Amino acid sequence: MSGGDFIDIRDFSREELEGMLDEAMRRKKARLGWPKAKPDADAPLSGHLLAMIFEKPSTRTRVSFDVAMRQLGGETMVLNAGDMQLGRGETIADTGRVLDRMVDVIMLRTFGHERAEELARYTGVPVINGLTDLSHPCQIMADAQTILEHKGRIEGLTIAWVGDCANVTRSWIEAATLLGARMKIGAPEGYRPDAEILDWAKAHGGEILLFDSAEEAVRDADVVMTDTWISMHHSEAEKEKRIADLTPYQVNEALMAAAKDDAIFMHCLPAHRGEEVTDAVIDGPQSVVFDEAENRIHAQKAVLLFCLGRL
């Protein structure tokens, strides 16, 4: 039964995830050729209000949630933490208690994962994790939709992740485990997923394989993924070290050649071209990164409908 928060992929069953993906695919297909601001034919969330709280900068999350809610017939409210009492010491719990009386659903993009969990704990309306330092479940729903569009399935595929393993990697480990894909990770020591998520995957039947070599991880893969190496909080010294450590894991034409001939390349964006991926790959025929970005709209429509008990 649908309804409730959307904090981590692991919180859901395979059937629930597949139901949301089916809905995302259906709604995207139904809108072909329509103007972007025109509501879906059924406008199922007419009269509903989504509050979006941003404690981190955003392009895709902000625009895609806004467009998604409008296409569902609802309205949105953007709240930047620096403009709120939240940015002046009010607790996330008290903020949640207030917004609970004023909106129908809340999306939070923040730093510590515990902030999303606390907001959900003290708020009666659904809370959606728009990104934390630990996980990024909305991105994974769009990624999974993109793979379905280009491969027709997820179960049985080999997904290769190379380079730094952070929040998107963690959420993909959860998704691969639940949806029946094999995941091969190529990363150096110090950049690999933590033991807790690997233990969780093993306990739930996941096939998550670790490699020192990017080439070994990518060999015979159906999907090749990576993410940025550098974040705003890294010092100049940290940036130099990370680039030195991760350069052997750059996704370039030679690395893509180790994957299957029909492999697709994915990146959640923004990309640092020339670092984790070359122009030739991200702009090349195997890249589906802009399909992936567009699918944030439709995947998040399905998430919103699920959270509000409409699936």
Side-chain angles (χ1 to χ4, degrees):
M1 182 177 178
S2 64
D5 304 314
F6 190 81
I7 305 298
D8 282 305
I9 294 292
R10 68 163 75 178
D11 298 334
F12 302 94
S13 67
R14 176 172 179 163
E15 292 71 25
E16 288 171 327
L17 294 173
E18 289 177 340
M20 284 185 265
L21 291 169
D22 287 345
E23 180 71 4
M25 300 275 280
R26 184 183 73 79
R27 287 195 173 271
K28 181 178 181 180
K29 185 177 180 180
R31 289 195 61 86
L32 288 175
W34 284 28
K36 299 296 189 293
K38 183 177 180 178
D40 289 356
D42 56 348
L45 296 187
S46 176
H48 289 71
L49 179 60
L50 164 67
M52 300 184 285
I53 303 175
F54 291 95
E55 296 186 310
K56 277 190 170 185
S58 170
T59 298
R60 278 150 293 277
T61 297
R62 176 171 178 165
V63 176
S64 60
F65 263 108
D66 195 316
V67 173
M69 193 64 176
R70 290 174 190 235
Q71 289 185 357
L72 291 172
E75 297 185 25
T76 64
M77 177 185 299
V78 176
L79 304 171
N80 294 309
D83 298 329
M84 302 168 63
Q85 294 302 328
L86 183 63
R88 296 176 174 82
E90 183 172 38
T91 67
I92 194 77
D94 285 350
T95 298
R97 289 184 178 106
V98 171
L99 292 180
D100 176 87
R101 310 295 183 94
M102 300 180 179
V103 304
D104 299 290
V105 56
I106 302 168
M107 187 283 298
L108 174 66
R109 183 176 174 92
T110 189
F111 294 89
H113 194 71
E114 69 281 355
R115 291 181 68 73
E117 294 175 325
E118 183 178 2
L119 182 64
R121 191 162 56 248
Y122 286 97
T123 306
V125 300
V127 171
I128 298 172
N129 172 7
L131 175 142
T132 68
D133 289 343
L134 187 70
S135 68
H136 198 354
C138 290
Q139 180 65 54
I140 272 55
M141 297 302 290
D143 289 358
Q145 180 183 348
T146 307
I147 293 172
L148 286 171
E149 288 176 345
H150 288 271
K151 294 296 182 181
R153 63 189 173 95
I154 294 174
E155 184 174 18
L157 294 183
T158 297
I159 297 171
W161 183 281
V162 292
D164 191 22
C165 298
N167 49 6
V168 178
T169 325
R170 181 186 180 90
S171 291
W172 250 116
I173 289 171
E174 296 177 356
T177 298
L178 293 170
L179 296 174
R182 178 171 69 156
M183 194 164 181
K184 298 169 68 181
I185 297 172
E189 291 287 347
Y191 296 88
R192 294 178 176 178
D194 61 45
E196 185 274 332
I197 189 60
L198 295 174
D199 290 344
W200 178 90
K202 183 177 181 180
H204 289 80
E207 187 178 2
I208 312 298
L209 307 174
L210 301 181
F211 298 89
D212 294 323
S213 161
E215 290 76 12
E216 285 294 322
V218 167
R219 183 166 295 132
D220 297 325
D222 299 285
V223 182
V224 178
M225 296 182 179
T226 193
D227 199 355
T228 55
W229 301 339
I230 308 298
S231 296
M232 289 182 294
H233 67 273
H234 290 131
S235 68
E236 287 303 316
E238 288 174 319
K239 290 177 183 179
E240 290 179 11
K241 182 179 188 307
R242 291 176 72 84
I243 289 173
D245 291 344
L246 292 166
T247 292
Y249 299 85
Q250 181 189 70
V251 183
N252 50 39
E253 290 176 290
L255 187 64
M256 286 299 296
K260 290 183 179 177
D261 291 342
D262 63 348
I264 57 175
F265 171 73
M266 301 180 69
H267 190 305
C268 65
L269 302 178
H272 291 187
R273 291 165 176 258
E275 291 181 5
E276 75 273 6
V277 63
T278 61
D279 287 343
V281 171
I282 198 169
D283 294 329
Q286 292 173 281
S287 175
V288 297
V289 299
F290 297 108
D291 292 344
E292 187 182 357
E294 177 189 355
N295 284 338
R296 290 291 300 274
I297 297 170
H298 307 290
Q300 284 158 191
K301 286 160 76 170
V303 169
L304 284 161
L305 290 168
F306 184 93
C307 290
L308 288 165
R310 299 302 183 92
L311 285 186

